[in-house]
């Protein structure tokens, strides 16, 4: 099987919510990772959407041993290799290309690729992937869409992200084909800007308590 789904499920099933963060500096990422881990969210996805993302992954990997740090928004093989070199323990993409899947084959860190339509899901299953990101979840049809996929794609498990919040997360987690959700609400920009990491720990604890760790 192309995807190391056992390793990926180990990370994703350990907490109901994967924080998806975009950071402005490595130092900020370290503080954020510590605050989230203190609240019980020990795996985080740092997205490659800011210039400091790779430095941030490296810093968290080196300085926050309690955190399992992954890279997100990985769109191509170059970014995949950069993420691994920075020390990412898992890699997340909003979609999948032949080139990205090739880069992930035999790589030391597992890939969580994105897929949404039935044909995309069938293609991913043929490639040996059965744990998939579903992005942007709310805009694609959210809970009703995932519910409709479940009986047809029984082998597929999703991590939906995009528009998930405390207002709808329980409904997502109640679906049979969900391992966890991803979201940025546990690390609000305003709290980071204010240095209010206690608030982030509080939000993380609230999210971590949504479901007991598997
Ligand atoms: C992602 O990349 O998974 C999303 O941008 C997270 O979406 P959110 O900000 O709506 O939680």
């Amino acid at each position: 099987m192309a995807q190391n789904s056992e390793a990926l499920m180990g990370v994703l099933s350990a907490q109901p919510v994967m924080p998806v963060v975009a950071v402005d500096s490595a130092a900020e990422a370290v503080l954020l990772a510590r605050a989230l881990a203190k609240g019980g969210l020990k795996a985080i996805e740092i997205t490659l959407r800011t210039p400091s993302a790779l430095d941030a992954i490296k810093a968290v990997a080196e300085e926050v041993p309690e955190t399992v740090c992954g890279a997100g928004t990985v769109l191509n093989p170059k970014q995949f290799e950069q993420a691994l070199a920075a020390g990412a323990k898992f890699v997340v993409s909003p979609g999948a290309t032949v080139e990205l899947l090739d880069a992930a084959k035999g790589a030391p860190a597992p890939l969580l690729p994105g897929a949404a339509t039935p044909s995309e899901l069938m293609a991913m299953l043929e490639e040996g992937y059965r744990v998939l990101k579903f992005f942007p979840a709310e805009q694609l049809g959210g809970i009703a869409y995932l519910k409709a996929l479940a009986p047809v794609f029984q082998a597929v498990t999703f991590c939906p992200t995009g528009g998930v919040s405390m207002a709808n997360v329980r409904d997502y987690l109640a679906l049979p084909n969900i391992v966890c959700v991803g979201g940025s609400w546990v690390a609000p920009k305003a709290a980071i800007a204010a240095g209010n990491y206690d608030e982030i720990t509080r939000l993380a604890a609230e999210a971590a308590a949504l479901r007991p760790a598997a």
Side-chain angles (χ1 to χ4, degrees):
M1 180 163 281
Q3 183 182 47
N4 188 349
S5 44
E6 213 170 290
L8 203 50
M9 286 298 275
V11 175
L12 299 180
S13 64
Q15 62 196 47
V17 178
M18 172 69 64
V20 178
V21 304
V23 294
D24 288 328
S25 71
E28 178 186 299
V30 166
L31 292 172
L32 195 50
R34 285 196 183 122
L36 289 164
K38 199 172 163 193
L41 299 182
K42 295 189 172 166
I44 68 168
E45 176 189 329
I46 295 182
T47 59
L48 303 195
R49 296 181 204 172
T50 58
S52 45
L54 291 169
D55 286 344
I57 291 167
K58 192 165 185 289
V60 173
E62 286 173 1
E63 296 171 39
V64 195
E66 65 269 36
T67 291
V68 180
C69 184
T73 319
V74 170
L75 305 179
N76 54 51
K78 186 177 175 209
Q79 289 180 323
F80 187 89
E81 297 307 333
Q82 287 174 326
L84 290 194
K89 300 292 186 299
F90 60 97
V91 177
V92 185
S93 178
T97 62
V98 173
E99 291 76 13
L100 186 61
L101 297 181
D102 276 351
K105 272 187 195 129
L111 172 68
L112 174 68
T117 66
S119 293
E120 287 170 358
L121 296 176
M122 287 159 68
M124 294 312 294
L125 284 171
E126 274 174 20
E127 289 288 336
Y129 284 78
R130 61 180 180 81
V131 190
L132 301 169
K133 174 166 166 138
F134 180 70
F135 170 85
E138 279 293 286
Q139 292 83 350
L140 284 170
I143 288 149
Y145 188 102
L146 288 164
K147 209 181 260 185
L149 290 176
V152 179
F153 294 97
Q154 295 180 11
V156 176
T157 304
F158 292 99
C159 170
T161 81
V164 184
S165 68
M166 278 307 286
N168 58 14
V169 63
R170 288 180 184 81
D171 294 333
Y172 275 99
L173 293 174
L175 295 173
N177 51 349
I178 299 302
V179 56
C180 68
V181 304
S184 60
W185 85 87
V186 287
K189 282 276 164 219
I192 296 171
N196 190 357
Y197 288 94
D198 286 347
E199 170 65 0
I200 289 165
T201 296
R202 188 192 69 75
L203 290 167
E206 183 182 48
L210 284 164
R211 192 176 68 188

